[in-house]
Amino acid sequence: MKILVVNAGSSSLKYQLFDMETGDVLAKGICERIGIDGAITHKRPGKEKYYTEASLGDHKAAIELVLKILCDSQLGVISSVDEISAVGHRVAHGGELLRESSIIGEKELEYLESIVEINPLHGPPAISGIRACKSVMPNVTHVGVFDTSYYSTVEEKAYIYPIPYELYEKYKIRRYGFHGTSHRFVCAKAMEILGKKDAKVITCHLGNGSSITASIGGKAVDTSMGFTPQEGVPMGTRSGSVDPTVVTYIMKKEGLTADETEKLLNSKSGLLGVSGVSSDCRDVLEAQNAGNKRAGLAMDILVHYVKKIIGSYIAEMNGLDALVFTAGIGENDGVVREMLCKDLSYLGIEIDSEINLKSERGVQVEITKPGAKVRTFAIPTNEEYMIALDTYNLVK
Ligand code: AMP
């Protein structure tokens, strides 16, 4: 069975075609500058990358081009669109009702439209991508896989904010959590290795956006992101959690509107905001090594917040079996893992520095120091495969 995974952004559409019998990616690529001019990059394993510019007015034009290329006699990997059994769509926000991966019909689309207000950045392009794919492939099952749905098991005490309860009732202001598909994937991998059904696992998805999730037996009990992906640890350009009064004080002092303040906290803060160098962890580390004090401070703050969350989740779960690092920084950066795991021996976390620093990029590795109570891993995430798998399980 072949499953197409689609991730539609405001001006982009990423795709991967999976053969579910083998788990192989047959082809993948990205349409960019949709609605501006348009270009596509298409890759097949072992073959040269194909790039061309093409007029892409909207998501429908983009998916039409993707299907044309997938079926092309030179560039393609299938002979007809009929070979695609289902399409799995990445959707950031499933709100309170779409609590698990679901087949998307009109009712589901209308619900997604009704929650656009709480998901203004990612909601509209995801809906437009699904509508486009459904119009071009009307006879194929379309499945939505939601970043939020992994958190449907989180208890009220962890998702209701301590603000007037009516605000939750009126506006659905609560913690939702994001990156759930990634956390679910790497947590399941760790559980496979541990072979323990009720394992307590903390997964650290550390990339440009970062979140930390606590799970027991493969079910989320808490996560660092909240109402939006802005809450939690400092990220590339996002502040993460700050005292709410800081927000209103900045607005008053700088004369900023609500939107301008959101932008400041979303795009000008985090590693970039503190270091003044870059939002990219590699650049910030390089600057730190060259003696840039603010770059060093930005890294210290990141490490400080991540460690505090790890500690709080161990308290929340009353123990820990495994700590997992994933995403751009977590998978690849042994130096940051070293900083994060330092002085956590009281909590049972100790890593083997030699293995950790020598580990290859993007390769699954256990970095536990022999004898340590908690097992620590770097596990590459694969959200697209998880989306394909959920889609396969719903249609097979
Ligand atoms: P992501 O959002 O998962 O793509 O991760 C982006 C972040 O990962 C950036 O801060 C990069 O600096 C970091 N990153 C990506 N690759 C590496 C690498 N090989 N070594 C260190 N950091 C990396």
Side-chain angles (χ1 to χ4, degrees):
M1 188 188 282
K2 296 190 178 73
I3 305 276
L4 181 65
V5 172
V6 171
N7 181 357
S10 56
S11 65
S12 69
L13 185 144
K14 291 188 199 142
Y15 62 94
Q16 287 198 20
L17 184 66
F18 284 88
D19 179 338
M20 297 312 289
E21 268 74 53
T22 59
D24 291 341
V25 175
L26 302 174
K28 65 176 174 180
I30 180 167
C31 295
E32 288 171 289
R33 299 178 60 82
I34 298 170
I36 306 164
D37 37 29
I40 185 165
T41 306
H42 174 73
K43 295 181 203 160
R44 289 164 298 165
K47 301 259 166 70
E48 216 163 278
K49 188 161 78 178
Y50 171 78
Y51 171 86
T52 188
E53 286 169 9
S55 167
L56 299 175
D58 53 19
H59 285 118
K60 185 161 180 267
I63 192 66
E64 277 169 350
L65 179 62
V66 168
L67 294 177
K68 190 168 160 226
I69 290 184
L70 286 173
C71 299
D72 184 83
S73 58
Q74 303 291 315
L75 301 165
V77 288
I78 49 177
S79 50
S80 134
V81 174
D82 295 341
E83 282 186 48
I84 299 173
S85 302
V87 183
H89 296 269
R90 181 185 184 177
V91 186
H93 212 313
E96 284 204 305
L97 296 188
L98 292 168
R99 292 162 66 93
E100 52 190 35
S101 301
S102 319
I103 292 174
I104 300 284
E106 197 47 39
K107 193 170 75 137
E108 286 74 19
L109 277 168
E110 278 168 19
Y111 176 67
L112 289 176
E113 270 155 3
S114 78
I115 58 164
V116 151
E117 221 179 347
I118 57 168
N119 182 29
L121 281 185
H122 300 112
I127 295 165
S128 156
I130 298 172
R131 286 209 181 278
C133 290
K134 278 174 82 83
S135 75
V136 176
M137 291 176 276
N139 301 322
V140 167
T141 306
H142 292 261
V143 169
V145 178
F146 310 97
D147 276 7
T148 47
S149 62
Y150 185 52
Y151 303 108
S152 62
T153 48
V154 169
E155 287 182 39
E156 268 183 318
K157 66 181 177 194
Y159 75 70
I160 295 289
Y161 287 112
I163 57 175
Y165 193 78
E166 303 79 66
L167 293 171
Y168 162 62
E169 294 175 312
K170 256 161 88 179
Y171 306 120
K172 296 293 167 209
I173 298 174
R174 50 161 282 180
R175 306 183 66 246
Y176 289 97
F178 297 88
H179 289 150
T181 311
S182 170
H183 287 284
R184 182 157 58 102
F185 179 82
V186 294
C187 182
K189 285 265 171 202
M191 302 259 300
E192 255 171 56
I193 301 167
L194 295 171
K196 188 176 170 191
K197 273 204 169 115
D198 57 351
K200 295 171 178 170
V201 180
I202 294 176
T203 44
C204 304
H205 177 113
L206 306 175
N208 201 25
S210 299
S211 62
I212 306 182
T213 292
S215 303
I216 301 179
K219 290 190 166 43
V221 294
D222 207 349
T223 191
S224 59
M225 281 181 167
F227 181 53
T228 69
Q230 166 72 0
E231 192 179 336
V233 296
M235 309 174 212
T237 60
R238 286 177 235 163
S239 62
S241 299
V242 292
D243 177 344
T245 312
V246 169
V247 181
T248 45
Y249 195 71
I250 292 173
M251 290 174 79
K252 288 180 209 159
K253 285 302 220 186
E254 296 275 310
L256 299 181
T257 62
D259 284 349
E260 287 165 344
T261 313
E262 258 182 36
K263 194 165 176 211
L264 181 142
L265 295 166
N266 249 307
S267 346
K268 296 182 185 166
S269 299
L271 286 181
L272 174 67
V274 177
S275 73
V277 172
S278 167
S279 62
D280 191 300
C281 188
R282 285 167 290 195
D283 299 340
V284 180
L285 280 171
E286 203 181 306
Q288 179 182 18
N289 290 336
N292 183 321
K293 287 224 161 60
R294 270 187 28 208
L297 176 62
M299 289 310 300
D300 285 349
I301 295 173
L302 176 94
V303 169
H304 177 73
Y305 275 81
V306 173
K307 285 175 82 164
K308 279 212 302 197
I309 298 243
I310 291 173
S312 69
Y313 287 170
I314 296 176
E316 213 175 312
M317 296 192 289
N318 189 22
L320 183 67
D321 293 298
L323 176 66
V324 179
F325 293 103
T326 194
I329 301 169
E331 287 168 28
N332 299 309
D333 204 322
V335 173
V336 176
R337 291 196 299 257
E338 199 79 17
M339 292 158 105
L340 290 170
C341 295
K342 191 165 172 264
D343 298 332
L344 291 182
S345 56
Y346 182 77
L347 300 177
I349 299 165
E350 289 177 275
I351 62 170
D352 185 315
S353 289
E354 207 177 313
I355 297 176
N356 175 50
L357 292 171
K358 257 203 222 147
S359 69
E360 271 180 64
R361 287 173 179 178
V363 172
Q364 180 170 315
V365 61
E366 174 159 9
I367 55 175
T368 317
K369 187 171 172 177
K373 209 158 77 183
V374 172
R375 295 177 72 180
T376 304
F377 303 92
I379 302 180
T381 192
N382 194 342
E383 289 156 285
E384 292 77 15
Y385 179 70
M386 202 76 237
I387 295 169
L389 193 61
D390 278 9
T391 305
Y392 174 75
N393 286 332
L394 274 169
V395 297
K396 81 175 170 206

PDB file of all heavy atoms in Angstrom, residues 88 104 116 239 283 333:
ATOM      1  N   GLY A  88      -2.098  11.127   4.123  1.00  0.00           N
ATOM      2  CA  GLY A  88      -2.024  11.526   5.535  1.00  0.00           C
ATOM      3  C   GLY A  88      -1.592  12.982   5.595  1.00  0.00           C
ATOM      4  O   GLY A  88      -0.581  13.351   5.004  1.00  0.00           O
ATOM      5  N   ILE A 104     -10.706  12.530   7.417  1.00  0.00           N
ATOM      6  CA  ILE A 104     -11.200  13.906   7.335  1.00  0.00           C
ATOM      7  C   ILE A 104     -12.316  14.028   6.307  1.00  0.00           C
ATOM      8  O   ILE A 104     -12.085  13.893   5.094  1.00  0.00           O
ATOM      9  CB  ILE A 104     -10.044  14.873   6.944  1.00  0.00           C
ATOM     10  CG1 ILE A 104      -8.924  14.820   7.985  1.00  0.00           C
ATOM     11  CG2 ILE A 104     -10.556  16.303   6.781  1.00  0.00           C
ATOM     12  CD1 ILE A 104      -9.204  15.531   9.264  1.00  0.00           C
ATOM     13  N   VAL A 116      -9.809  27.974  13.939  1.00  0.00           N
ATOM     14  CA  VAL A 116      -8.716  28.729  13.321  1.00  0.00           C
ATOM     15  C   VAL A 116      -8.268  29.887  14.217  1.00  0.00           C
ATOM     16  O   VAL A 116      -7.088  30.237  14.257  1.00  0.00           O
ATOM     17  CB  VAL A 116      -9.152  29.221  11.915  1.00  0.00           C
ATOM     18  CG1 VAL A 116      -8.454  30.497  11.527  1.00  0.00           C
ATOM     19  CG2 VAL A 116      -8.859  28.143  10.878  1.00  0.00           C
ATOM     20  N   SER A 239      10.581  32.956  22.950  1.00  0.00           N
ATOM     21  CA  SER A 239      11.045  33.141  24.332  1.00  0.00           C
ATOM     22  C   SER A 239      10.795  31.910  25.196  1.00  0.00           C
ATOM     23  O   SER A 239      11.511  31.673  26.151  1.00  0.00           O
ATOM     24  CB  SER A 239      10.309  34.320  24.954  1.00  0.00           C
ATOM     25  OG  SER A 239       8.915  34.044  24.982  1.00  0.00           O
ATOM     26  N   ASP A 283      25.423  28.237  15.266  1.00  0.00           N
ATOM     27  CA  ASP A 283      26.052  29.566  15.218  1.00  0.00           C
ATOM     28  C   ASP A 283      26.286  30.103  16.625  1.00  0.00           C
ATOM     29  O   ASP A 283      27.311  30.716  16.907  1.00  0.00           O
ATOM     30  CB  ASP A 283      25.146  30.570  14.481  1.00  0.00           C
ATOM     31  CG  ASP A 283      24.893  30.162  13.045  1.00  0.00           C
ATOM     32  OD1 ASP A 283      25.680  29.362  12.504  1.00  0.00           O
ATOM     33  OD2 ASP A 283      23.885  30.630  12.474  1.00  0.00           O
ATOM     34  N   ASP A 333      23.495  17.122  18.305  1.00  0.00           N
ATOM     35  CA  ASP A 333      24.474  17.921  19.024  1.00  0.00           C
ATOM     36  C   ASP A 333      24.881  17.318  20.361  1.00  0.00           C
ATOM     37  O   ASP A 333      24.266  17.568  21.395  1.00  0.00           O
ATOM     38  CB  ASP A 333      23.916  19.341  19.211  1.00  0.00           C
ATOM     39  CG  ASP A 333      25.044  20.330  19.396  1.00  0.00           C
ATOM     40  OD1 ASP A 333      26.028  19.963  20.068  1.00  0.00           O
ATOM     41  OD2 ASP A 333      24.963  21.432  18.869  1.00  0.00           O
TER      42      ASP A 333
END
